[in-house]
Amino acid sequence: MGILSERLILISLFIFIIHSIETLAYAVRLSGARVRLLASALSLFNVMVIVSRMANMMQQPFTGRLVDNAPKENAFQFVESQFRVIIGASTLGTIMGILLLPTFIALFSRAIVHLSEERGSIPALLKKGLSKEYFMRGIKHIHLPRLSYIKDIKKKDIPIKLFFINMLITAIYTIGVLSALYASIIAPERSATATMASGLINGIATILLTIFIDPKISILADDVVNQRGSYNSLKGVSLMMMTSRLLGTILAQLLFIPGAEYIAWLTKFM
């Protein structure tokens, strides 16, 4: 049981990092619009996505092991309770991302400028950023979000449809692997099929995110750079979308079991 607890903590840490990074992706867009270097910001954004995807890949085998080690007499309750802790870690990671938004806007703004000065060299940027001088400078930029972030938001500027779409996609992405693994317990005779379905689910969620969410935020950032939009409005809308992500991780708690049952049913036709 102690080993399982340590494994659960490790998985939760991975999930926490993944959702913090993906939430802070909005800070990269905001920083790019702020310093008017969107192309350089995109490069930094891609690095964050790679780190997030790598962390996601690393945690999946550990999560699968939780199912393998589940006691046969109460496998459903055991796995469900552990998976709900993992989903909770995604919520905490998103909250941390929101709290760190002002800090990372300031840090990313400087990182994007330095990346441009280094002619796109990520290793050179990391070497400079990890130096004692720049590390101490970074500490000075730590501060929490303020109410002024949302005071300039007008009701008509809030993308209501986008808000709910983002919330649903986040929920699906959050439970993709977990529901698939739980489905392998519901339908043990098709456990391999159910487990492999997680890649398809997360792939669809990523595609939907790329089609419906990313272009909209990118257009808003372009408007700021081209002086057709307000930076404060972009910041407010980005904060609303981060809130949508947070609600999506909470919605994931409700969709976890129904999602697993749906996957178990779907495997009959695969």
Side-chain angles (χ1 to χ4, degrees), residues 132-222:
K132 183 178 179 180
E133 177 188 355
Y134 283 91
F135 182 78
M136 296 306 294
R137 286 187 191 178
I139 293 177
K140 296 179 181 178
H141 294 293
I142 297 176
H143 57 279
L144 296 175
R146 301 168 184 165
L147 288 176
S148 59
Y149 276 39
I150 58 175
K151 73 176 183 180
D152 294 317
I153 302 178
K154 298 178 182 177
K155 188 175 181 180
K156 65 181 182 65
D157 292 333
I158 300 176
I160 300 298
K161 185 184 294 185
L162 208 63
F163 184 93
F164 287 106
I165 291 175
N166 189 50
M167 186 171 70
L168 180 60
I169 293 174
T170 300
I172 294 172
Y173 178 78
T174 301
I175 62 169
V177 172
L178 303 178
S179 289
L181 288 171
Y182 196 80
S184 69
I185 306 176
I186 297 175
E189 69 281 4
R190 299 185 299 275
S191 60
T193 305
T195 302
M196 294 302 292
S198 64
L200 177 63
I201 296 167
N202 280 354
I204 292 173
T206 302
I207 291 171
L208 292 175
L209 191 67
T210 304
I211 292 174
F212 291 106
I213 308 301
D214 288 346
K216 294 287 187 179
I217 303 299
S218 296
I219 289 297
L220 291 174
D222 284 339

Coordinates of all heavy atoms in Angstrom, one line a residue, residues 132-222:
K132 N 22.5 32.8 -12.3 CA 22.1 33.4 -11.0 C 21.5 34.8 -11.2 O 20.5 35.2 -10.5 CB 23.3 33.4 -10.1 CG 23.0 34.0 -8.7 CD 24.2 34.0 -7.8 CE 23.9 34.5 -6.4 NZ 25.1 34.5 -5.5
E133 N 22.1 35.6 -12.1 CA 21.7 37.0 -12.3 C 20.2 37.0 -12.8 O 19.4 37.7 -12.2 CB 22.5 37.6 -13.3 CG 22.1 39.1 -13.7 CD 22.9 39.6 -14.9 OE1 23.8 39.0 -15.3 OE2 22.5 40.8 -15.3
Y134 N 19.9 36.2 -13.8 CA 18.5 36.2 -14.3 C 17.5 35.5 -13.4 O 16.3 35.9 -13.4 CB 18.5 35.6 -15.7 CG 19.0 36.5 -16.8 CD1 20.4 36.5 -17.1 CD2 18.2 37.4 -17.4 CE1 20.9 37.3 -18.1 CE2 18.7 38.3 -18.4 CZ 20.0 38.2 -18.7 OH 20.5 39.1 -19.7
F135 N 18.0 34.6 -12.6 CA 17.1 33.9 -11.7 C 16.7 34.9 -10.6 O 15.5 34.9 -10.2 CB 17.9 32.7 -11.0 CG 17.0 31.9 -10.1 CD1 16.1 31.0 -10.5 CD2 17.2 32.1 -8.7 CE1 15.3 30.3 -9.6 CE2 16.4 31.4 -7.8 CZ 15.5 30.5 -8.2
M136 N 17.6 35.7 -10.1 CA 17.3 36.7 -9.1 C 16.4 37.7 -9.6 O 15.5 38.2 -8.9 CB 18.6 37.3 -8.5 CG 19.5 36.3 -7.8 SD 18.7 35.4 -6.5 CE 18.3 36.8 -5.3
R137 N 16.5 38.1 -10.9 CA 15.6 39.1 -11.5 C 14.2 38.5 -11.6 O 13.2 39.2 -11.4 CB 16.1 39.4 -12.9 CG 17.3 40.3 -13.0 CD 17.6 40.7 -14.5 NE 18.8 41.3 -14.7 CZ 19.3 41.7 -15.9 NH1 18.5 41.5 -17.0 NH2 20.5 42.3 -16.0
G138 N 14.1 37.2 -11.9 CA 12.8 36.6 -12.1 C 12.1 36.5 -10.8 O 10.8 36.7 -10.8
I139 N 12.7 36.4 -9.7 CA 12.1 36.3 -8.4 C 11.3 37.6 -8.1 O 10.2 37.6 -7.5 CB 13.1 36.0 -7.2 CG1 13.6 34.6 -7.4 CG2 12.5 36.2 -5.9 CD1 14.7 34.2 -6.4
K140 N 11.9 38.7 -8.6 CA 11.3 40.0 -8.3 C 9.9 40.2 -9.0 O 9.2 41.1 -8.7 CB 12.2 41.2 -8.8 CG 13.5 41.2 -8.0 CD 14.5 42.3 -8.5 CE 15.8 42.3 -7.8 NZ 16.7 43.4 -8.3
H141 N 9.7 39.4 -10.0 CA 8.4 39.5 -10.8 C 7.3 38.6 -10.3 O 6.2 38.6 -10.9 CB 8.7 39.1 -12.3 CG 9.6 40.1 -13.0 ND1 9.3 41.4 -13.3 CD2 10.9 39.9 -13.4 CE1 10.3 42.0 -13.9 NE2 11.3 41.1 -14.0
I142 N 7.5 38.0 -9.1 CA 6.5 37.1 -8.6 C 5.3 38.0 -7.9 O 5.6 38.7 -7.0 CB 7.0 36.2 -7.5 CG1 8.1 35.2 -8.2 CG2 5.9 35.4 -6.9 CD1 8.8 34.3 -7.2
H143 N 4.1 37.8 -8.5 CA 3.0 38.5 -7.8 C 1.7 37.8 -8.3 O 1.7 37.1 -9.3 CB 2.9 40.0 -8.1 CG 2.9 40.3 -9.6 ND1 4.0 40.4 -10.3 CD2 1.8 40.7 -10.4 CE1 3.7 40.7 -11.6 NE2 2.4 40.9 -11.6
L144 N 0.6 37.9 -7.5 CA -0.6 37.2 -7.8 C -1.5 38.1 -8.7 O -1.3 39.3 -8.9 CB -1.3 37.0 -6.4 CG -0.6 36.0 -5.5 CD1 -1.4 36.0 -4.1 CD2 -0.4 34.7 -6.1
P145 N -2.5 37.4 -9.3 CA -3.5 38.1 -10.1 C -4.3 39.2 -9.4 O -4.4 39.1 -8.1 CB -4.5 37.0 -10.6 CG -3.7 35.7 -10.4 CD -2.8 36.0 -9.3
R146 N -4.7 40.2 -10.1 CA -5.5 41.3 -9.4 C -6.8 41.4 -10.1 O -7.1 40.9 -11.2 CB -4.7 42.6 -9.6 CG -3.3 42.6 -9.0 CD -2.5 43.8 -9.4 NE -1.2 43.8 -8.9 CZ -0.2 44.5 -9.4 NH1 -0.4 45.4 -10.4 NH2 1.0 44.4 -8.9
L147 N -7.8 42.0 -9.3 CA -9.1 42.2 -9.9 C -9.1 43.1 -11.1 O -10.0 43.0 -11.9 CB -10.0 42.8 -8.8 CG -10.4 41.9 -7.6 CD1 -11.2 42.7 -6.6 CD2 -11.2 40.7 -8.1
S148 N -8.1 43.9 -11.3 CA -8.0 44.8 -12.4 C -7.9 44.0 -13.7 O -8.2 44.5 -14.8 CB -6.8 45.7 -12.3 OG -5.6 44.9 -12.2
Y149 N -7.6 42.7 -13.6 CA -7.5 41.8 -14.8 C -8.8 41.6 -15.5 O -8.9 41.4 -16.7 CB -6.9 40.4 -14.4 CG -5.4 40.4 -14.4 CD1 -4.7 41.4 -13.8 CD2 -4.7 39.3 -14.9 CE1 -3.3 41.4 -13.8 CE2 -3.3 39.2 -14.8 CZ -2.6 40.2 -14.3 OH -1.3 40.2 -14.2
I150 N -9.9 41.7 -14.7 CA -11.2 41.4 -15.3 C -12.1 42.7 -15.3 O -13.2 42.6 -15.9 CB -11.9 40.3 -14.5 CG1 -12.1 40.7 -13.0 CG2 -11.2 39.0 -14.6 CD1 -12.9 39.7 -12.2
K151 N -11.6 43.8 -14.8 CA -12.5 45.0 -14.7 C -12.7 45.6 -16.1 O -13.8 46.2 -16.3 CB -11.8 46.1 -13.8 CG -10.6 46.8 -14.4 CD -10.1 47.9 -13.5 CE -9.0 48.6 -14.1 NZ -8.5 49.7 -13.2
D152 N -11.8 45.3 -17.1 CA -12.0 45.9 -18.4 C -12.8 45.0 -19.3 O -13.0 45.3 -20.5 CB -10.6 46.2 -19.0 CG -9.9 47.3 -18.3 OD1 -10.5 48.3 -18.0 OD2 -8.7 47.1 -18.1
I153 N -13.2 43.8 -18.8 CA -14.0 42.9 -19.7 C -15.4 43.3 -19.8 O -16.1 43.6 -18.8 CB -14.0 41.5 -19.1 CG1 -12.5 41.0 -18.9 CG2 -14.7 40.5 -20.0 CD1 -12.4 39.6 -18.3
K154 N -15.9 43.4 -21.0 CA -17.3 43.7 -21.3 C -18.0 42.4 -21.6 O -17.5 41.5 -22.1 CB -17.4 44.7 -22.5 CG -16.7 46.0 -22.2 CD -16.8 46.9 -23.4 CE -16.1 48.2 -23.2 NZ -16.1 49.1 -24.4
K155 N -19.3 42.4 -21.2 CA -20.1 41.2 -21.3 C -20.1 40.7 -22.8 O -20.0 39.5 -23.0 CB -21.5 41.4 -20.9 CG -22.4 40.2 -20.8 CD -23.8 40.5 -20.2 CE -24.6 39.2 -20.1 NZ -25.9 39.5 -19.6
K156 N -20.1 41.6 -23.7 CA -20.1 41.2 -25.1 C -18.8 40.6 -25.6 O -18.7 39.9 -26.6 CB -20.5 42.4 -26.0 CG -19.5 43.5 -26.0 CD -20.0 44.6 -26.9 CE -19.0 45.8 -26.9 NZ -17.7 45.4 -27.6
D157 N -17.7 40.9 -24.8 CA -16.4 40.4 -25.2 C -16.2 38.9 -24.7 O -15.2 38.3 -25.1 CB -15.3 41.3 -24.6 CG -15.3 42.6 -25.3 OD1 -15.7 42.7 -26.5 OD2 -14.9 43.6 -24.6
I158 N -17.0 38.5 -23.8 CA -16.8 37.1 -23.3 C -17.4 36.1 -24.2 O -18.5 36.1 -24.6 CB -17.6 36.9 -21.9 CG1 -17.0 38.0 -20.9 CG2 -17.4 35.5 -21.4 CD1 -17.8 37.9 -19.6
P159 N -16.5 35.2 -24.8 CA -16.9 34.2 -25.7 C -17.6 33.0 -25.0 O -17.0 32.0 -24.7 CB -15.6 33.7 -26.3 CG -14.6 34.0 -25.3 CD -15.1 35.1 -24.5
I160 N -19.0 33.2 -24.8 CA -19.7 32.2 -24.0 C -19.7 30.8 -24.6 O -19.4 29.8 -23.9 CB -21.2 32.7 -23.9 CG1 -21.3 34.0 -23.2 CG2 -22.0 31.6 -23.1 CD1 -20.8 34.0 -21.8
K161 N -19.9 30.8 -25.9 CA -19.9 29.4 -26.6 C -18.5 28.8 -26.5 O -18.3 27.6 -26.2 CB -20.3 29.6 -28.1 CG -20.4 28.3 -28.8 CD -20.7 28.5 -30.3 CE -22.0 29.1 -30.5 NZ -22.4 29.2 -31.9
L162 N -17.5 29.6 -26.7 CA -16.1 29.2 -26.6 C -15.8 28.7 -25.2 O -15.0 27.7 -25.0 CB -15.1 30.3 -27.0 CG -13.8 29.9 -27.6 CD1 -14.0 29.1 -28.9 CD2 -12.9 31.1 -27.9
F163 N -16.3 29.4 -24.2 CA -16.1 29.1 -22.8 C -16.6 27.7 -22.5 O -15.8 26.9 -21.9 CB -16.9 30.1 -21.9 CG -16.7 30.0 -20.5 CD1 -15.7 30.7 -19.8 CD2 -17.5 29.1 -19.7 CE1 -15.5 30.6 -18.4 CE2 -17.3 29.0 -18.3 CZ -16.3 29.7 -17.7
F164 N -17.8 27.3 -22.9 CA -18.3 26.0 -22.6 C -17.7 24.9 -23.5 O -17.5 23.8 -23.0 CB -19.8 26.0 -22.8 CG -20.6 26.8 -21.7 CD1 -21.1 28.0 -22.0 CD2 -20.7 26.2 -20.5 CE1 -21.8 28.7 -20.9 CE2 -21.3 26.9 -19.4 CZ -21.9 28.1 -19.7
I165 N -17.3 25.3 -24.7 CA -16.6 24.3 -25.6 C -15.3 23.9 -25.0 O -14.9 22.7 -24.9 CB -16.4 24.8 -27.0 CG1 -17.8 24.9 -27.7 CG2 -15.5 23.9 -27.8 CD1 -17.7 25.6 -29.1
N166 N -14.6 24.9 -24.5 CA -13.3 24.7 -23.9 C -13.4 23.9 -22.6 O -12.6 23.0 -22.3 CB -12.6 26.1 -23.5 CG -11.2 25.9 -23.1 OD1 -10.4 25.2 -23.7 ND2 -10.8 26.5 -22.0
M167 N -14.5 24.2 -21.8 CA -14.7 23.4 -20.6 C -15.0 21.9 -20.9 O -14.4 21.1 -20.2 CB -15.9 24.0 -19.9 CG -16.2 23.4 -18.5 SD -17.5 24.3 -17.6 CE -18.9 23.9 -18.5
L168 N -15.7 21.7 -21.9 CA -16.1 20.3 -22.3 C -14.8 19.5 -22.8 O -14.5 18.4 -22.4 CB -17.2 20.2 -23.3 CG -17.6 18.8 -23.8 CD1 -18.1 18.0 -22.6 CD2 -18.7 18.9 -24.9
I169 N -14.0 20.2 -23.7 CA -12.8 19.6 -24.2 C -11.8 19.3 -23.1 O -11.2 18.3 -23.1 CB -12.2 20.5 -25.3 CG1 -13.1 20.6 -26.5 CG2 -10.9 20.0 -25.7 CD1 -12.7 21.6 -27.6
T170 N -11.7 20.3 -22.2 CA -10.8 20.0 -21.1 C -11.2 18.8 -20.2 O -10.3 18.0 -19.8 CB -10.7 21.3 -20.2 OG1 -10.3 22.4 -20.9 CG2 -9.8 21.1 -19.0
A171 N -12.5 18.7 -20.0 CA -13.0 17.6 -19.2 C -12.7 16.2 -19.9 O -12.2 15.3 -19.3 CB -14.5 17.7 -19.0
I172 N -12.9 16.2 -21.3 CA -12.6 15.0 -22.0 C -11.1 14.7 -22.0 O -10.7 13.5 -21.8 CB -13.1 15.2 -23.5 CG1 -14.6 15.3 -23.5 CG2 -12.6 14.0 -24.3 CD1 -15.1 15.6 -24.9
Y173 N -10.3 15.7 -22.2 CA -8.8 15.5 -22.2 C -8.3 15.0 -20.8 O -7.4 14.2 -20.7 CB -8.1 16.8 -22.5 CG -6.6 16.7 -22.5 CD1 -5.9 16.2 -23.6 CD2 -5.9 17.3 -21.4 CE1 -4.5 16.1 -23.5 CE2 -4.5 17.2 -21.4 CZ -3.8 16.6 -22.5 OH -2.5 16.6 -22.4
T174 N -8.9 15.6 -19.7 CA -8.5 15.2 -18.4 C -8.8 13.7 -18.0 O -8.0 13.1 -17.4 CB -9.3 16.1 -17.3 OG1 -9.0 17.5 -17.6 CG2 -8.9 15.8 -15.9
I175 N -9.9 13.2 -18.5 CA -10.3 11.8 -18.2 C -10.0 10.8 -19.3 O -10.3 9.6 -19.1 CB -11.8 11.8 -17.8 CG1 -12.7 12.2 -19.0 CG2 -12.1 12.6 -16.6 CD1 -14.2 11.9 -18.8
G176 N -9.5 11.3 -20.4 CA -9.2 10.3 -21.5 C -8.6 9.1 -21.1 O -9.1 7.9 -21.3
V177 N -7.4 9.2 -20.5 CA -6.6 8.0 -20.1 C -7.3 7.3 -19.0 O -7.4 6.0 -19.0 CB -5.2 8.4 -19.7 CG1 -4.4 7.2 -19.1 CG2 -4.4 9.0 -20.9
L178 N -7.8 8.0 -18.0 CA -8.3 7.4 -16.8 C -9.6 6.6 -17.1 O -9.8 5.5 -16.6 CB -8.6 8.5 -15.7 CG -7.4 9.4 -15.3 CD1 -7.8 10.4 -14.3 CD2 -6.3 8.5 -14.7
S179 N -10.5 7.2 -17.9 CA -11.7 6.5 -18.2 C -11.5 5.3 -19.0 O -12.1 4.2 -18.9 CB -12.7 7.4 -19.0 OG -13.2 8.4 -18.1
A180 N -10.5 5.3 -19.9 CA -10.1 4.2 -20.7 C -9.6 3.0 -19.9 O -9.9 1.9 -20.1 CB -9.1 4.6 -21.8
L181 N -8.8 3.4 -18.9 CA -8.2 2.4 -18.0 C -9.3 1.8 -17.1 O -9.3 0.6 -16.8 CB -7.1 3.0 -17.1 CG -5.8 3.3 -17.8 CD1 -4.9 4.1 -16.9 CD2 -5.1 2.0 -18.2
Y182 N -10.2 2.6 -16.6 CA -11.3 2.1 -15.8 C -12.3 1.2 -16.7 O -12.8 0.3 -16.1 CB -12.1 3.3 -15.3 CG -13.0 3.0 -14.1 CD1 -12.5 2.8 -12.8 CD2 -14.4 2.8 -14.3 CE1 -13.4 2.5 -11.8 CE2 -15.2 2.4 -13.3 CZ -14.7 2.3 -12.0 OH -15.5 1.9 -10.9
A183 N -12.4 1.6 -17.9 CA -13.2 0.7 -18.8 C -12.6 -0.7 -19.0 O -13.4 -1.6 -19.2 CB -13.3 1.4 -20.2
S184 N -11.3 -0.7 -18.9 CA -10.7 -2.1 -19.0 C -11.0 -3.0 -17.8 O -11.0 -4.2 -17.9 CB -9.1 -1.9 -19.0 OG -8.6 -1.5 -17.8
I185 N -11.5 -2.4 -16.7 CA -12.0 -3.2 -15.5 C -13.4 -3.6 -15.8 O -13.8 -4.7 -15.4 CB -11.8 -2.4 -14.2 CG1 -10.4 -1.9 -14.0 CG2 -12.3 -3.2 -13.0 CD1 -10.2 -1.1 -12.8
I186 N -14.2 -2.6 -16.3 CA -15.6 -2.9 -16.6 C -15.8 -4.0 -17.6 O -16.6 -4.9 -17.5 CB -16.3 -1.6 -17.1 CG1 -16.3 -0.5 -16.0 CG2 -17.7 -1.9 -17.5 CD1 -16.8 0.8 -16.5
A187 N -14.9 -4.0 -18.7 CA -14.9 -5.0 -19.7 C -13.6 -5.7 -19.8 O -12.8 -5.4 -20.7 CB -15.3 -4.4 -21.0
P188 N -13.2 -6.6 -18.8 CA -11.9 -7.2 -18.8 C -11.6 -8.0 -20.0 O -10.4 -8.2 -20.4 CB -12.0 -8.1 -17.5 CG -13.4 -8.3 -17.2 CD -14.1 -7.0 -17.7
E189 N -12.6 -8.5 -20.7 CA -12.4 -9.3 -21.9 C -11.9 -8.5 -23.1 O -11.4 -9.0 -24.1 CB -13.6 -10.1 -22.3 CG -14.8 -9.3 -22.8 CD -15.6 -8.6 -21.7 OE1 -15.2 -8.7 -20.5 OE2 -16.6 -8.0 -22.0
R190 N -12.1 -7.2 -22.9 CA -11.7 -6.2 -24.0 C -10.8 -5.2 -23.4 O -10.8 -4.0 -23.8 CB -12.9 -5.6 -24.7 CG -13.8 -6.6 -25.3 CD -14.9 -5.9 -26.1 NE -15.8 -5.0 -25.2 CZ -16.8 -5.5 -24.5 NH1 -17.1 -6.8 -24.6 NH2 -17.5 -4.7 -23.7
S191 N -10.0 -5.5 -22.4 CA -9.2 -4.6 -21.6 C -8.2 -3.9 -22.5 O -7.9 -2.7 -22.4 CB -8.5 -5.3 -20.4 OG -7.7 -6.3 -20.9
A192 N -7.5 -4.6 -23.4 CA -6.5 -4.1 -24.3 C -7.1 -3.0 -25.2 O -6.5 -1.9 -25.4 CB -5.7 -5.1 -25.0
T193 N -8.2 -3.4 -25.8 CA -8.9 -2.4 -26.7 C -9.3 -1.2 -26.0 O -9.1 -0.1 -26.5 CB -10.2 -3.1 -27.3 OG1 -9.8 -4.3 -27.9 CG2 -10.8 -2.2 -28.3
A194 N -9.9 -1.3 -24.7 CA -10.3 -0.2 -24.0 C -9.1 0.7 -23.6 O -9.2 2.0 -23.7 CB -11.0 -0.6 -22.7
T195 N -8.0 0.1 -23.2 CA -6.8 0.9 -22.8 C -6.2 1.7 -24.0 O -5.9 2.9 -23.9 CB -5.7 0.0 -22.3 OG1 -6.2 -0.7 -21.1 CG2 -4.5 0.8 -21.8
M196 N -6.2 1.0 -25.2 CA -5.6 1.7 -26.4 C -6.6 2.8 -26.8 O -6.1 3.7 -27.6 CB -5.4 0.7 -27.5 CG -4.4 -0.3 -27.2 SD -2.7 0.4 -26.8 CE -2.3 1.1 -28.4
A197 N -7.8 2.8 -26.4 CA -8.8 3.9 -26.9 C -8.4 5.2 -26.3 O -8.8 6.3 -26.8 CB -10.2 3.5 -26.4
S198 N -7.6 5.3 -25.2 CA -7.2 6.5 -24.6 C -6.5 7.5 -25.6 O -6.7 8.7 -25.5 CB -6.3 6.3 -23.4 OG -5.1 5.7 -23.7
G199 N -5.6 6.9 -26.4 CA -4.9 7.7 -27.4 C -5.8 8.3 -28.4 O -5.7 9.5 -28.7
L200 N -6.9 7.6 -28.8 CA -7.9 8.1 -29.7 C -8.6 9.3 -29.1 O -8.9 10.3 -29.7 CB -8.8 7.0 -30.2 CG -9.9 7.4 -31.1 CD1 -9.4 8.0 -32.4 CD2 -10.9 6.2 -31.3
I201 N -9.0 9.1 -27.8 CA -9.8 10.1 -27.1 C -9.0 11.4 -26.9 O -9.5 12.5 -27.2 CB -10.3 9.5 -25.8 CG1 -11.2 8.4 -26.0 CG2 -11.0 10.6 -24.9 CD1 -11.5 7.6 -24.7
N202 N -7.8 11.3 -26.4 CA -7.0 12.4 -26.2 C -6.6 13.1 -27.6 O -6.5 14.3 -27.7 CB -5.7 12.1 -25.5 CG -5.9 12.0 -24.0 OD1 -7.0 12.3 -23.5 ND2 -4.9 11.5 -23.3
G203 N -6.5 12.3 -28.6 CA -6.2 12.8 -29.9 C -7.3 13.7 -30.4 O -7.1 14.8 -31.0
I204 N -8.6 13.2 -30.3 CA -9.7 13.9 -30.7 C -9.9 15.2 -29.9 O -10.2 16.3 -30.5 CB -11.0 13.0 -30.5 CG1 -11.0 11.9 -31.5 CG2 -12.3 13.9 -30.7 CD1 -12.1 10.9 -31.3
A205 N -9.6 15.1 -28.6 CA -9.7 16.3 -27.7 C -8.7 17.4 -28.2 O -9.0 18.6 -28.2 CB -9.5 15.9 -26.3
T206 N -7.5 16.9 -28.5 CA -6.4 17.8 -29.0 C -6.8 18.5 -30.3 O -6.6 19.7 -30.5 CB -5.1 17.1 -29.1 OG1 -4.7 16.5 -27.9 CG2 -4.0 18.0 -29.6
I207 N -7.4 17.7 -31.2 CA -7.8 18.2 -32.5 C -8.9 19.3 -32.3 O -8.9 20.3 -32.9 CB -8.3 17.1 -33.4 CG1 -7.1 16.2 -33.8 CG2 -9.0 17.6 -34.6 CD1 -7.5 14.9 -34.5
L208 N -9.9 19.0 -31.4 CA -10.9 19.9 -31.2 C -10.4 21.2 -30.6 O -10.8 22.3 -30.9 CB -12.0 19.3 -30.2 CG -12.8 18.1 -30.8 CD1 -13.7 17.5 -29.7 CD2 -13.6 18.6 -32.0
L209 N -9.4 21.1 -29.7 CA -8.8 22.2 -29.1 C -8.1 23.1 -30.1 O -8.2 24.3 -30.1 CB -7.8 21.8 -28.0 CG -7.2 22.8 -27.1 CD1 -8.3 23.4 -26.2 CD2 -6.0 22.3 -26.3
T210 N -7.4 22.4 -31.0 CA -6.7 23.1 -32.1 C -7.6 23.8 -33.1 O -7.3 24.9 -33.6 CB -5.8 22.1 -32.9 OG1 -4.9 21.5 -32.0 CG2 -5.0 22.8 -33.9
I211 N -8.8 23.2 -33.3 CA -9.7 23.7 -34.3 C -10.6 24.9 -33.7 O -10.7 25.9 -34.3 CB -10.7 22.6 -34.8 CG1 -9.9 21.6 -35.7 CG2 -11.8 23.2 -35.6 CD1 -10.7 20.4 -36.1
F212 N -11.1 24.7 -32.5 CA -12.0 25.6 -31.9 C -11.5 26.7 -31.0 O -12.0 27.8 -31.0 CB -13.1 24.9 -31.2 CG -14.0 24.0 -32.0 CD1 -13.9 22.7 -32.1 CD2 -15.0 24.6 -32.8 CE1 -14.7 21.9 -32.9 CE2 -15.8 23.9 -33.7 CZ -15.7 22.5 -33.7
I213 N -10.4 26.4 -30.3 CA -9.9 27.3 -29.2 C -8.7 28.1 -29.6 O -8.7 29.3 -29.6 CB -9.6 26.5 -27.9 CG1 -10.8 25.6 -27.5 CG2 -9.2 27.4 -26.8 CD1 -12.1 26.4 -27.3
D214 N -7.6 27.4 -30.0 CA -6.4 28.1 -30.3 C -6.5 29.2 -31.4 O -5.9 30.3 -31.2 CB -5.3 27.0 -30.8 CG -4.9 26.2 -29.6 OD1 -5.1 26.5 -28.4 OD2 -4.2 25.1 -29.8
P215 N -7.2 28.9 -32.5 CA -7.3 30.0 -33.5 C -8.0 31.3 -33.0 O -7.6 32.4 -33.3 CB -8.1 29.4 -34.6 CG -7.9 27.9 -34.5 CD -7.8 27.7 -33.0
K216 N -9.0 31.1 -32.2 CA -9.7 32.2 -31.6 C -8.8 33.1 -30.8 O -8.8 34.3 -30.9 CB -10.9 31.8 -30.8 CG -12.0 31.1 -31.6 CD -12.8 32.0 -32.4 CE -14.0 31.3 -33.1 NZ -14.8 32.3 -33.9
I217 N -8.1 32.5 -29.9 CA -7.2 33.2 -29.0 C -6.0 33.9 -29.8 O -5.6 35.0 -29.5 CB -6.6 32.3 -27.9 CG1 -7.7 31.6 -27.1 CG2 -5.7 33.1 -26.9 CD1 -8.6 32.6 -26.4
S218 N -5.6 33.1 -30.8 CA -4.5 33.7 -31.6 C -5.0 34.9 -32.4 O -4.2 35.9 -32.6 CB -4.0 32.6 -32.6 OG -3.5 31.5 -31.9
I219 N -6.2 34.9 -32.9 CA -6.8 36.1 -33.6 C -6.8 37.3 -32.7 O -6.5 38.4 -33.1 CB -8.1 35.7 -34.2 CG1 -8.0 34.7 -35.3 CG2 -8.8 37.0 -34.6 CD1 -7.2 35.3 -36.5
L220 N -7.3 37.0 -31.4 CA -7.3 38.1 -30.5 C -5.9 38.7 -30.2 O -5.8 39.9 -30.1 CB -7.9 37.6 -29.1 CG -9.4 37.3 -29.2 CD1 -9.8 36.7 -27.8 CD2 -10.3 38.5 -29.5
A221 N -4.9 37.8 -30.1 CA -3.5 38.3 -29.9 C -3.1 39.1 -31.2 O -2.4 40.1 -31.0 CB -2.6 37.1 -29.7
D222 N -3.4 38.6 -32.4 CA -3.0 39.3 -33.6 C -3.7 40.7 -33.6 O -3.0 41.7 -34.0 CB -3.5 38.6 -34.8 CG -2.6 37.4 -35.1 OD1 -1.4 37.4 -34.7 OD2 -3.0 36.5 -35.8

